[in-house]
Amino acid sequence: MIRHLVFFNLKTDLEPADREWLFDQIHGLSRIRVVTRLALGKLLEPREEWYRPRMSPEFEWALTMEFENEDALYIYQQDPGHVAIAQEIRKRVSSIKVMDFVSLPSQ
């Protein structure tokens, strides 16, 4: 399995309605046939003071997706729906980092 992680910060002047539109578009990526799981989340603001130093504040938002294998990841990357939404995301973010991880087999 491949886990695709996208960490990002939205531009500070992004209107709330535009943010909601973008998040709706991102959630729509789950309709691409090779996407097995999609989640969009906001950085936790820990209520416990002792936990705060463990958190990296570099990115406020994260998109996580899962794919059966590397071939599925590449199909997704070239899907016209993904290409269009990726362009919209880049217009609205101030910083972004993309990482892909391969799951290790269970022992």
Side-chain angles (χ1 to χ4, degrees), residues 32-79:
I32 296 173
R33 67 178 176 81
V34 294
V35 175
T36 58
R37 183 174 296 189
L38 181 147
L40 179 62
K42 187 173 190 311
L43 182 67
L44 174 70
E45 294 181 26
R47 66 175 183 260
E48 298 291 339
E49 194 63 39
W50 59 267
Y51 193 72
R52 290 177 192 219
R54 297 177 183 209
M55 300 292 293
S56 171
E58 186 178 354
F59 294 98
E60 185 177 13
W61 298 95
L63 169 63
T64 60
M65 304 174 84
E66 292 180 3
F67 302 93
E68 184 176 316
N69 54 40
E70 195 171 348
D71 291 337
L73 171 67
Y74 298 149
I75 290 169
Y76 165 77
Q77 289 294 328
Q78 296 176 349
D79 184 276

Side-chain angles (χ1 to χ4, degrees), residues 1-4 65-67 69-70 73 100-102:
M1 183 203 47
I2 304 291
R3 182 162 288 128
H4 179 66
M65 304 174 84
E66 292 180 3
F67 302 93
N69 54 40
E70 195 171 348
L73 171 67
D100 296 301
F101 291 88
V102 179

Side-chain angles (χ1 to χ4, degrees), residues 4-8 61-65 89 96-99:
H4 179 66
L5 307 169
V6 182
F7 301 102
F8 61 97
W61 298 95
L63 169 63
T64 60
M65 304 174 84
I89 291 170
I96 191 167
K97 182 180 283 190
V98 178
M99 301 170 75

